[in-house]
Amino acid sequence: MAGTITHDRPAAAEGRQGGPLIVTEDADLLDDLLRLCAAAGARPEVHHGVPERGGGWEAAPLVLVGDDAARRVRGAARRRGVVLVGRDQDDSGVWRRAVEIGADHVLLLPDGEQWLVDRIADVAEGVGPPALTVGVIGGRGGAGSSTLACALAVTSAREGRRTLLVDADPLGGGLDVLLGGETAEGLRWPAFAASRGRVGGGALEESLPELHALRVLSWDRGDCVAIAPEAVRAVLAAARRRGGTVVVDLPRRVDEGVAEALAQVDMGLLVVPAELRAVAAAGRVASAVGMVLRDLRIAVRGPYAPGLDDKEVSRLLGLPLAGEVPVETGLLAANERGAPPGGDIRGPLARFCSAFWERAAVAGGGV
């Protein structure tokens, strides 16, 4: 059980990173709180009362006060991020004691354990604004969506953003291959197949291959492994908590796992070759994707069939135009030399991607 108390007070410790401060003399409660901190990947500071020097109380990103210690911290400075933790589900006095110490929340174990693990992990990771997450989908097979996804990620990383590229298509051959890093050390999707609940954002980032200054979550070369929707949700949520940008290369089908990915995408780019059959195919993809993703736009790729241009494709599909993806000659040859899509900073594809991210920055996170 967890409850929230609303009241105003200074945010002295807001925005700081680190482990929580635990205040309790209850040995059993302390064991439980240490276990939950370990599960969240945080190292706490433990005291029986308010630290004498005062700094720990003000500086800790989160303070966990055992119900046994409520009286001892009653005179401490008011601050945000104080949680009163108890066990007695029938003790109505816990709410009064929480108000007396200025607590934000009342949490009763064991019911509130998952909530508390999530809260500890949030402060340990220094959670800020979530990553701008862009999904890229092909309007038909061979539309070039994987190439665009890689180019967007490479450009984002080159411009100094924390960037994670996620390959959500197990049948796509692997984005690490497209980036020339199929042998790079790091975990691939099968390692996260059993993930449930919360995945640590920092641990996820550090475990993945680093290619061209960005992190890549792709597939290995083994048999195709089914990734449960819960695992997709947990992994993408962890990636978003790290901030920066997340680019997701999505398949054209929408199953439960893809729906979980789409639910965390801020904007989708539907890559549509400018030909009538591709437009027809893209219409079916857009219909399925649009059931989950509200903000879906098209990126038109030439050369153009007679009678078509980017605005006409946009009109036929009834979707806003994100831009025209330029044709860049020599991409295949460059890839064989180990250069990723978007790697040539003066190339038309890199310029398109740079303009895309610039619009995103001007819009404050939304393109």
Side-chain angles (χ1 to χ4, degrees):
M1 174 181 173
T4 302
I5 299 173
T6 302
H7 48 169
D8 296 327
R9 57 192 173 286
E14 194 172 41
R16 299 177 184 265
Q17 295 185 14
L21 169 66
I22 297 175
V23 182
T24 184
E25 287 185 335
D26 184 330
D28 291 336
L29 180 60
L30 178 59
D31 285 344
D32 282 338
L33 293 178
L34 291 176
R35 172 176 55 83
L36 297 178
C37 285
R43 290 186 176 183
E45 179 183 347
V46 179
H47 289 269
H48 295 317
V50 177
E52 292 182 4
R53 296 178 181 176
W57 178 268
E58 284 86 6
L62 181 68
V63 179
L64 307 178
V65 179
D67 194 28
D68 66 289
R71 188 172 301 173
R72 295 194 297 278
V73 304
R74 191 180 296 167
R78 295 299 175 99
R79 51 151 295 167
R80 293 180 180 175
V82 176
V83 180
L84 183 62
V85 185
R87 295 180 182 278
D88 189 349
Q89 303 280 344
D90 299 321
D91 180 10
S92 59
V94 68
W95 297 95
R96 173 180 52 80
R97 293 189 292 277
V99 171
E100 290 174 349
I101 68 172
D104 293 316
H105 300 276
V106 171
L107 184 135
L108 299 178
L109 300 179
D111 292 354
E113 286 193 357
Q114 187 57 57
W115 181 91
L116 187 54
V117 169
D118 290 347
R119 186 76 179 91
I120 295 169
D122 279 344
V123 299
E125 292 180 4
V127 172
L132 172 61
T133 305
V134 176
V136 186
I137 314 151
R140 65 153 169 80
S145 58
S146 294
T147 297
L148 179 58
C150 288
L152 285 169
V154 167
T155 305
S156 172
R158 185 170 55 234
E159 294 178 353
R161 303 179 189 89
R162 172 185 278 120
T163 304
L164 176 61
L165 175 61
V166 178
D167 186 353
D169 186 0
L171 303 180
L175 293 186
D176 54 351
V177 176
L178 193 54
L179 292 172
E182 60 270 25
T183 61
E185 293 186 0
L187 299 182
R188 268 68 173 178
W189 264 117
F192 301 98
S195 297
R196 299 292 187 276
R198 184 187 181 97
V199 174
L204 170 69
E205 184 177 12
E206 292 172 5
S207 72
L208 300 177
E210 183 174 4
L211 302 168
H212 309 288
L214 60 96
R215 298 285 179 164
V216 183
L217 176 54
S218 190
W219 301 86
D220 61 14
R221 311 284 83 81
D223 294 336
C224 185
V225 176
I227 307 296
E230 296 84 359
V232 175
R233 182 192 315 133
V235 169
L236 283 180
R240 284 173 54 82
R241 285 196 303 272
R242 295 293 285 169
T245 60
V246 175
V247 180
V248 187
D249 185 27
L250 293 158
R252 289 182 293 132
R253 68 183 186 283
V254 179
D255 56 22
E256 290 184 353
V258 174
E260 288 290 352
L262 286 168
Q264 300 196 55
V265 166
D266 297 309
M267 188 193 72
L269 291 179
L270 182 64
V271 183
V272 185
E275 56 188 49
L276 287 176
R277 287 188 64 193
V279 172
R284 292 191 290 271
V285 175
S287 178
V289 170
M291 296 177 67
V292 184
L293 179 61
R294 291 184 179 181
D295 190 353
L296 180 64
R297 311 182 190 191
I298 61 168
V300 182
R301 183 173 65 82
Y304 290 92
L308 285 182
D309 59 19
D310 53 357
K311 294 181 177 58
E312 179 64 8
V313 174
S314 174
R315 187 191 68 81
L316 289 171
L317 290 173
L319 293 171
L321 180 64
E324 178 185 354
V325 182
V327 176
E328 183 166 332
T329 59
L331 272 182
L332 181 59
N335 189 246
E336 291 176 350
R337 297 193 303 269
D344 180 2
I345 192 171
R346 294 181 296 274
L349 185 56
R351 293 199 302 271
F352 170 86
C353 294
S354 184
F356 175 88
W357 294 122
E358 183 178 355
R359 292 195 302 273
V362 169
V367 181

